Amino acid sequence: MPGSGRSRLHPAQLARPSDEDREAGALRLSVGGDYLRIWQAEGGQLAVFAATAPLAGADVTPDGIVLVADSAGLSALYVQIPGN
């Protein structure tokens, strides 16, 4: 998807972060059926990702990479954290 900010990856290329890593990160997620809200751990909402299909799952790494799974596959989105 050129220009979309989404990169298609094979699931074997990624590993979900541990609970400890997730808690240590600067971002938090709220996941709905077809949307994802990205929050700063110490602040407000940063972004909303609206999917064209129901989401199968989402997670975030401590360094700001949001993993999103939907019927089209698995994508990784890099979120720039303000002030970093």
Side-chain angles (χ1 to χ4, degrees):
M1 299 184 137
S4 71
R6 293 183 75 177
S7 299
R8 294 291 173 199
L9 301 170
H10 189 276
Q13 292 176 278
L14 300 170
R16 292 187 78 159
S18 69
D19 289 339
E20 293 82 17
D21 286 342
R22 198 177 297 113
E23 187 63 33
L27 299 176
R28 303 290 183 264
L29 301 179
S30 304
V31 182
D34 61 354
Y35 71 89
L36 170 69
R37 293 183 194 276
I38 303 168
W39 304 82
Q40 277 187 278
E42 301 293 329
Q45 182 174 301
L46 291 176
V48 175
F49 173 80
T52 58
L55 296 177
D59 213 333
V60 62
T61 66
D63 55 350
I65 298 174
V66 178
L67 310 174
V68 181
D70 61 17
S71 60
L74 180 66
S75 298
L77 308 163
Y78 176 74
V79 177
Q80 181 73 34
I81 302 168
N84 288 348

